[in-house]
Amino acid sequence: MNTQAPGTQKPAFPEPLHVGRPNCGDRERFLERVSDMFDRRWFTNNGLLVQEFEKRIGEFVGVKHCIAVCNATIGLELAIRAAGLKGEVIIPAFTFIATAHALQWQEITPVFCDIDPRTHNMDLARVEELITPKTTGIIGVHMWGRPCDVGALAEIAQRRNLKLMFDAAHAFACSHEGKMIGGFGLAEVFSFHATKFFHTFEGGAIVTDNDELAAQIGLMKNFGFSGYDNVIYVGTNGKMTEVCAAMGLTLLDAVDEIIAVNRRNYEAYREGLRGFPGVRLVEYDPKERNNYQYIVLEVDSARAPLNRDELIDVLHAENVLARKYFWPGCHRMEPYRSLQPNASLLLPQTERIADRVLVLPTGMSITCEDIERVCAIIRTAAEHKEEVRNALRGR
Ligand code: T4K
């Protein structure tokens, strides 16, 4: 196959450019923390590093309680269970599968709401239509770190007597109307997976101002133990390890620097793709704090020289491993596509956006020169679209 720019045979990048290549922070400082951890011989279960991490995250976000956990999926499960959600819970269909699975895992039905194509977040006009006597809550997702309309969702939740929480997996260090994400709803859940700009290898955190909920989740993440020999809830093992907290603390020291690089990369892509027909770079509100961790393109196949999937193929052939997050939508993944076979009828915008989105590599390991080359690949492929199509067809 040759989908490379004409005249070249090798991929433009000898090593793959990944979406989600982890940031590393100050390696020496991280190793110092790990060395201290070895000296203390305290590796997990509420060690000093986890305590410091929870305190600093809570302060950073401006909430009373931060409960560090081993990943955001378990974090969502714990928050959902502690909040007493059951029956049906409304979530967007356009999200990572974990949002839906955290409910289904507990035999709660995720009811998929369509999205607003401008924001990629839940369409408020659709939310109310989905409320039934079985509905107990709403989980908004701040897609790409761009906040949901939290005020309007809170108003609906209050009026309809529903619990409201947020999957803030993408939104650490982002704000809404000047207030940090993390302080909205009953609780919010961050993901600190290695692919996030700020991470703890694997990890996450539940943040809340609710004392009772925080205490309950704190016990639930440790099997429900209250003291050495007493279990008072059904619990699980959701604990964050010390080595993970060491990574988080190290990256927290560098969070502004990482965001500055993400922003620089974002601007470089914007410049590089300026005027490219049929392609829109998803924007961040400059009045808010943003982490700029996702470079999201929307490719309009009717106007762009190549459609989204063709562009992905071209980029992959050049070792640029662009992703189709979150295609094809949760409702088209199992078990949901079998359980709710007609869900797509109510999700036209989810389907449309899922067919258009293409996410490009960014982060500390990507340079402006890399970005210029990625944009050049896209432009060159567009200029030679027929050749590219033939090459792709012949694979
Ligand atoms: N809610 C939402 C809205 C989410 O987006 C997520 C997770 C969650 C909840 C649940 O959070 P966690 O339980 O994970 O904390 C990734 C991540 O696994 C997932 O955390 C993330 N969202 C989702 C958007 O993306 P994949 O399947 O794309 O990740 P993976 O492991 O294939 O890595 C992506 C690329 O990064 C690869 O091409 C290779 C590169 N990579 C990855 C790792 C782990 C590296 O270069 N080094 C690495 O160490 O799902």
Side-chain angles (χ1 to χ4, degrees):
M1 181 195 63
N2 178 17
T3 57
Q4 281 81 34
T8 62
Q9 295 297 319
K10 286 190 194 144
F13 292 93
E15 296 297 324
L17 252 55
H18 293 281
V19 173
R21 195 75 164 159
N23 296 323
C24 296
D26 180 340
R27 197 178 294 205
E28 290 308 315
R29 188 69 192 98
F30 168 72
L31 293 173
E32 268 172 36
R33 286 184 165 111
V34 174
S35 176
D36 291 348
M37 177 197 85
F38 277 117
D39 290 344
R40 283 194 299 275
R41 283 181 198 258
W42 195 282
F43 297 160
T44 186
N45 203 359
N46 204 28
L48 282 183
L49 292 172
V50 164
Q51 288 178 37
E52 185 187 346
F53 182 70
E54 290 180 332
K55 184 166 177 293
R56 281 183 62 188
I57 295 286
E59 284 166 3
F60 186 91
V61 172
V63 291
K64 270 165 85 179
H65 306 284
C66 167
I67 302 114
V69 286
C70 55
N71 60 61
T73 308
I74 294 283
L76 284 165
E77 287 171 16
L78 285 166
I80 287 163
R81 193 162 194 122
L85 297 186
K86 50 188 185 306
E88 296 176 359
V89 172
I90 298 169
I91 64 167
F94 188 69
T95 178
F96 188 59
I97 198 69
T99 322
H101 280 354
L103 291 161
Q104 188 72 29
W105 192 255
Q106 310 188 62
E107 299 185 357
I108 301 166
T109 303
V111 174
F112 296 118
C113 184
D114 208 4
I115 53 166
D116 180 334
R118 288 169 307 126
T119 63
H120 297 187
N121 283 327
M122 244 179 333
D123 181 350
L124 294 166
R126 302 277 83 81
V127 172
E128 286 218 71
E129 294 168 2
L130 298 172
I131 298 172
T132 74
K134 289 187 185 157
T135 311
T136 57
I138 303 170
I139 303 180
V141 179
H142 305 300
M143 184 53 59
W144 319 127
R146 302 194 308 170
C148 302
D149 189 342
V150 291
L153 281 173
E155 188 278 319
I156 295 173
Q158 196 185 18
R159 185 160 40 77
R160 304 296 295 263
N161 197 22
L162 302 173
K163 305 251 171 66
L164 173 66
M165 59 177 70
F166 294 96
D167 176 338
H170 300 178
F172 182 67
C174 299
S175 71
H176 174 64
E177 293 179 352
K179 179 175 168 180
M180 295 303 278
I181 296 289
F184 296 100
L186 185 56
E188 303 210 51
V189 180
F190 295 121
S191 170
F192 301 143
H193 182 255
T195 52
K196 301 290 184 287
F197 84 102
F198 170 81
H199 68 89
T200 58
F201 302 132
E202 286 275 2
I206 302 147
V207 284
T208 179
D209 283 320
N210 185 304
D211 300 340
E212 206 183 318
L213 193 80
Q216 195 172 349
I217 293 171
L219 297 179
M220 277 178 159
K221 80 163 184 185
N222 187 20
F223 312 102
F225 270 106
S226 171
Y228 266 120
D229 301 314
N230 189 25
V231 172
I232 60 169
Y233 297 117
V234 61
T236 186
N237 184 353
K239 299 188 297 291
M240 178 181 276
T241 64
E242 286 289 273
V243 77
C244 289
M247 188 72 229
L249 287 166
T250 305
L251 285 176
L252 205 49
D253 295 338
V255 81
D256 290 337
E257 188 193 335
I258 300 171
I259 291 174
V261 171
N262 285 351
R263 184 171 189 164
R264 179 205 69 188
N265 289 352
Y266 176 82
E267 302 294 347
Y269 274 115
R270 184 152 69 176
E271 202 44 47
L273 294 170
R274 195 181 292 283
F276 191 88
V279 167
R280 182 174 87 89
L281 178 62
V282 163
E283 287 179 9
Y284 297 97
D285 182 348
K287 295 193 297 300
E288 300 292 349
R289 286 187 67 164
N290 297 294
N291 59 35
Y292 296 94
Q293 71 173 315
Y294 289 106
I295 307 290
V296 184
L297 300 187
E298 255 186 57
V299 183
D300 175 357
S301 305
R303 289 180 51 234
L306 295 165
N307 67 33
R308 190 273 307 266
D309 289 355
E310 289 167 337
L311 275 177
I312 294 251
D313 287 343
V314 166
L315 288 164
H316 281 212
E318 302 290 7
N319 249 341
V320 180
L321 303 186
R323 300 291 298 264
K324 303 192 223 180
Y325 291 145
F326 291 100
W327 185 82
C330 292
H331 61 297
R332 288 196 179 269
M333 309 264 207
E334 291 297 357
Y336 315 105
R337 69 171 171 233
S338 296
L339 292 171
Q340 306 178 32
N342 299 320
S344 60
L345 296 174
L346 292 176
L347 302 167
Q349 298 304 338
T350 299
E351 304 238 306
R352 192 168 142 262
I353 295 299
D355 280 344
R356 289 177 167 218
V357 161
L358 182 162
V359 179
L360 288 167
T362 186
M364 300 293 274
S365 59
I366 304 287
T367 64
C368 288
E369 290 71 40
D370 293 334
I371 294 168
E372 274 174 33
R373 282 162 77 196
V374 172
C375 295
I377 291 166
I378 295 174
R379 288 189 178 280
T380 308
E383 282 160 21
H384 301 272
K385 62 181 180 187
E386 292 311 328
E387 271 170 76
V388 168
R389 281 208 177 108
N390 287 336
L392 292 174
R393 259 186 233 118
R395 284 191 310 174

